[in-house]
Amino acid sequence: MEAFRKWKKEHPDLWEFILFNILSNCATVTNFVVLWLSSAFLFGSMTEPFQFFIFDYTSSASGGLGGFLAFLLAYVCAQIVNYIVQRKLVFGATIDISKTIGWYILTVVVAGIISVALPGYLVPVLTPYLGGFSATVANVVNIVLQVAINYPMMKFVIMKKK
């Protein structure tokens, strides 16, 4: 255990990134559970094609309006969980939330537009190969993109220490 403590002290940025990814699994689990439940129970019957701005859920494989709403709800719930978990447990943020919440909302909106738009394009491409598993794979791609966007913003802007 002492060797691990020493390693953490010698590599604080790497440990922080590892911890960020480990604790992001709280948001990941939330994302998948909300996606699956909302697709099955809340929005499963809303299959009419949906297209707005860059959101294209017109393919029957995309789930239509229900697919869009399921991905959107899953993303929002995951980001709420992620903020709560990351703030103290990873970054030990001490800055007043009101000073950086705007940056967090902007980051979430940008990552969210990507995360909610991408499945409408990706699911129809993957469905011939993966069937019903294509939405899950699209969600995995979204999660990787969210880490690439969220970690630098949280580390350097949103969760900075005083």
Side-chain angles (χ1 to χ4, degrees):
M1 202 58 172
E2 187 57 39
F4 179 66
R5 284 190 195 101
K6 182 180 176 201
W7 181 88
K8 281 183 6 183
K9 189 173 183 172
E10 291 172 357
H11 304 92
D13 289 332
L14 180 57
W15 172 243
E16 181 183 76
F17 183 71
I18 291 169
L19 190 58
F20 175 86
N21 282 288
I22 290 170
L23 292 177
S24 288
N25 286 319
C26 296
T28 300
V29 169
T30 300
N31 192 306
F32 278 115
V33 169
V34 172
L35 176 68
W36 294 331
L37 291 175
S38 63
S39 293
F41 300 110
L42 293 178
F43 308 120
S45 64
M46 303 169 97
T47 58
E48 60 274 8
F50 173 78
Q51 185 172 20
F52 173 75
F53 186 47
I54 60 171
F55 307 110
D56 185 1
Y57 285 72
T58 55
S59 164
S60 61
S62 70
L65 177 61
F68 170 79
L69 293 173
F71 275 103
L72 179 62
L73 180 62
Y75 179 75
V76 169
C77 291
Q79 291 310 312
I80 292 168
V81 168
N82 197 45
Y83 184 85
I84 293 166
V85 169
Q86 301 296 348
R87 179 164 171 77
K88 292 290 182 188
L89 297 178
V90 174
F91 296 104
T94 56
I95 192 165
D96 181 10
I97 291 172
S98 66
K99 294 180 180 179
T100 60
I101 196 71
W103 280 109
Y104 186 71
I105 291 170
L106 178 64
T107 302
V108 167
V109 167
V110 169
I113 289 170
I114 294 166
S115 294
V116 177
L118 184 65
Y121 298 97
L122 193 54
V123 169
V125 171
L126 296 175
T127 297
Y129 307 103
L130 302 174
F133 195 61
S134 59
T136 300
V137 172
N139 212 26
V140 169
V141 171
N142 273 339
I143 290 164
V144 170
L145 288 172
Q146 288 172 35
V147 168
I149 294 167
N150 288 340
Y151 180 74
M153 284 301 294
M154 286 181 156
K155 178 172 179 62
F156 300 113
V157 178
I158 300 164
M159 302 291 182
K160 64 186 177 186
K161 298 173 185 163
K162 279 187 179 177

